[in-house]
Amino acid sequence: MAIQEQRLIFKHIDEPGYTNDIDCYIKHGGYEQLKKAVTMKPEDICAEVLESGVRGRGGAGFPAGMKWKFLDRKSGKPIYLVCNCDESEPGTFKDREIVHQDPHQLIEGMMCSAFAIQAKLAFIYIRGEFFQGYKILERAIEEAREKNLLGDNILGSGYSCDIIVHRGAGAYICGEETGLIESIEGNRANPRIKPPYFPAALGLYQCPTIVNNVETLCDVKHIIELGGKGFAQIGTPGNTGTRIWCVSGHVEKPGYYEFPCSAVTLGQLIYDVCGGLKPGRKLKAVIPGGSSAKILRADERFTGKLKDGTEFDWGIEDIPMDFDSLMAVGSMSGSGGVIVMDDSTDMVEALANINYFYAHESCGQCTPCREGVPWMRKVTQRMVDGEAREEDADLLKNIADQIAGRTICAFGEAASWPVQSFIAKFKDEFVQKAREQAARRKEGKAAATKTTLI
Amino acid sequence: MNLKPETIEKIDKLVPRYPTVKSAALPLCHLVQEDQGYLSNEAMEWIANRLDLQPINILELVTFYPMLRTEPTGKHHVRVCRTLPCALAGAYQTCKKLEEAFNCKVGHTSEDGSVTLEFVECHADCGKAPVVMVGEDEYTNISPDKASEFAEKIKNGEI
Ligand SMILES: Cc1cc2nc3c(=O)[nH]c(=O)nc-3n(C[C@H](O)[C@H](O)[C@H](O)COP(=O)(O)O)c2cc1C
Ligand code: SF4
Ligand code: FES
């Protein structure tokens, strides 16, 4: 028997008969929380969000309430709210479902948040490839405007705020919040250096700006409904609320599954929820939080101490799915994209595939990233092309070590972590590849073999 | 520049919504590209003019954002997602089959102009990998064994 999901954000996703128009949303109790929110004091909503402990669902897991607290309110400049709907970390596919199937949940969450921070204007930055999603949001916003749920004098509260849907155009770096801000300003999405450009102080148009992920903003609606304390009862302390795990790769039933934080282990998620691996296959590795998260090897033992001091000794299947546990085992829950690989996977090819992505997506501002990431791609590409050298594993690690921590934005880490972790955990396969190719060459055969992942 | 009246109307509505005109640059690139199929030098100059910017301000966007094009695509624009989750589901083999069916190498437009075949990166639907887009529509679970039939449907105009 598969473990039952407990859905909060995805409550109506794929529900038969549920449609994405405003009437259906209202019939299911929609916009009640916004009605409640506009009667509250904005600072009280902020306090509830802080108390809820909700952490950002976009990647970094920073507490949303804390971020909101950093808003520079003294400057007197207008405040902006930006919803990050760029969803482009490979392996992540939750925001698209919210936009396609339940857009009003996002709009309600956004308007509650906008009211709480007293934003003058809100944006949804949606990736360019979401052609349908863009149209759905535009229509949903017009529906909400007709009912005075956004726009001027919302529900007679005296508060006004509009939402502009801004489309990206295929650049991954637009997901990074300061790159995203540059992109809305009409520039190339070159990220800004922090400090001083923390969005909460100097964000969009150099004004205080809050950037939150789609799922985080939806959580705000539920925080108003349940209260900060009530929301914090879902999950565990420090890991509150639910998470939507997007499972892809070599499992029988890939898809999105929502659970309270810590409610399932990685093993339960793979074997019970996703039906396990394909027949006859064994688990080899898992990337638990989008392609930039550090890879976990199936036969590793993970030992150490959690934040609260408790010691743990886990196999891969025992890891509780939440922010802190995945961090404690040296990876991250990131964007919730769980990529599962079975024993048919060639790790060199898998890394070559990942490196191809990051090399293509560096914005080019910082030398270590602009030069280093394509270099790593070149190395893994030649390895799969039959030119692998035994020392390549060390070279890759060396390059990665010189990128992470030396760049303007966290893309440097995002591109280095896969390389560092693949080499730390599967170095033997990288060396083995070079030896096999050398042996084949000696026999007069072609060094390269057919690839499947690149 | 011969933009459709609907496009002009959309542009006129959109520009004043933004706090600064420059913010409208990327949306205008999208609208003009949808109208014309691609962004010619003339189109970029037109956008720059409309927003009181220099043509270089538009060119630097067009050369940065992968979805903006300076050349038209073939009649069918086929984009195959190639990042890891799709690759694990066979996206590269799917693409091979499409290359054969269209007689067109990935990254190119077929000689008869019927198809442009491209690799793209994660389209955020990895639970239904491999993912292929045709024009603005998404098709999921296009595994290698379904690829040839899928290509036929595109050729026949069923997709
Ligand atoms: C390279 C890079 C790509 C990112 N891509 C996304 C993305 O696609 N979606 C997203 O919500 N956050 C993304 N982020 C995280 C954002 O910078 C930002 O932290 C997030 O939107 C904040 O929202 P949250 O606190 O609600 O998670 C990315 C970060 C980096 C460094
Ligand atoms: S780390 Fe890379 S992506 Fe980020 S600003 Fe530097 S060059 Fe651009
Ligand atoms: S990797 Fe293809 S949709 Fe995500």
Side-chain angles (χ1 to χ4, degrees), chain A residues 89-93, chain B residues 81-87 121-127 129-131 138:
Chain A
E89 177 74 19
T92 319
F93 46 98
Chain B
C81 175
R82 56 147 294 276
T83 25
L84 190 57
C86 278
E121 289 159 347
C122 183
H123 270 201
D125 214 355
C126 335
V131 172
E138 203 204 49

Side-chain angles (χ1 to χ4, degrees), chain A residues 80 87-94 96-97 121 123 125 127-132 134-135 138 141-142 145 162-171 173-174 182-190 205 247-250 254-256 287 339-341 345 350 352-354 356-357 360-361 363 422 451-454, chain B residues 10 13-31 33-34 53 56-69 77 79 81-93 96 106 119-129 131 133-138 140-141:
Chain A
Y80 294 105
E87 186 153 75
S88 34
E89 177 74 19
T92 319
F93 46 98
K94 59 191 178 61
R96 91 175 284 136
E97 297 303 329
L121 182 61
F123 290 85
Y125 190 96
R127 57 179 301 178
E129 295 87 345
F130 284 176
F131 295 101
Q132 303 301 332
Y134 170 66
K135 288 180 192 148
E138 288 271 279
I141 285 168
E142 286 321 308
R145 192 191 313 282
D162 204 346
I163 299 180
I164 296 181
V165 189
H166 192 89
R167 299 176 60 196
I173 197 59
C174 294
E182 284 286 332
S183 185
I184 297 183
E185 290 187 8
N187 304 324
R188 289 179 160 204
N190 292 334
Y205 311 122
V247 189
S248 64
H250 293 145
Y256 32 74
I287 301 176
I339 307 170
V340 180
M341 284 165 270
T345 314
N353 182 297
I354 294 174
Y356 182 137
F357 174 75
H360 187 242
E361 295 300 340
C363 88
F422 270 70
T451 57
T452 56
L453 301 179
I454 186 78
Chain B
K10 278 187 198 161
K13 244 167 85 185
L14 188 135
V15 177
R17 291 190 68 196
Y18 281 99
T20 70
V21 282
K22 198 170 185 207
S23 281
L26 188 53
L28 255 61
C29 288
H30 273 301
L31 288 172
Q33 177 166 292
E34 273 155 26
L53 300 169
I56 185 71
N57 301 132
I58 307 304
L59 182 65
E60 68 171 359
L61 301 184
V62 174
T63 51
F64 184 88
Y65 293 95
M67 283 178 71
L68 303 179
R69 294 186 298 271
H77 188 195
R79 291 177 259 207
C81 175
R82 56 147 294 276
T83 25
L84 190 57
C86 278
L88 290 169
Y92 275 86
Q93 292 73 25
K96 264 252 151 58
V106 66
F119 270 139
V120 290
E121 289 159 347
C122 183
H123 270 201
D125 214 355
C126 335
K128 301 180 190 128
V131 172
M133 282 196 87
V134 182
E136 296 189 357
D137 297 318
E138 203 204 49
T140 52
N141 294 314

Side-chain angles (χ1 to χ4, degrees), chain A residues 49-50 53-56 62-69 210 212 216:
Chain A
V49 172
L50 188 65
V54 64
R55 293 167 70 168
F62 192 79
M66 200 101 86
K67 189 191 283 187
W68 290 15
K69 244 185 132 143
I210 291 295
N212 274 129
T216 316

Side-chain angles (χ1 to χ4, degrees), chain A residues 242-256:
Chain A
T242 61
R243 292 268 341 227
I244 299 154
W245 304 112
C246 311
V247 189
S248 64
H250 293 145
V251 289
E252 285 282 21
K253 290 188 286 175
Y256 32 74

Side-chain angles (χ1 to χ4, degrees), chain A residues 205-220:
Chain A
Y205 311 122
Q206 300 300 326
C207 295
T209 303
I210 291 295
V211 184
N212 274 129
N213 173 257
V214 170
E215 191 186 342
T216 316
L217 291 167
C218 290
D219 278 323
V220 172

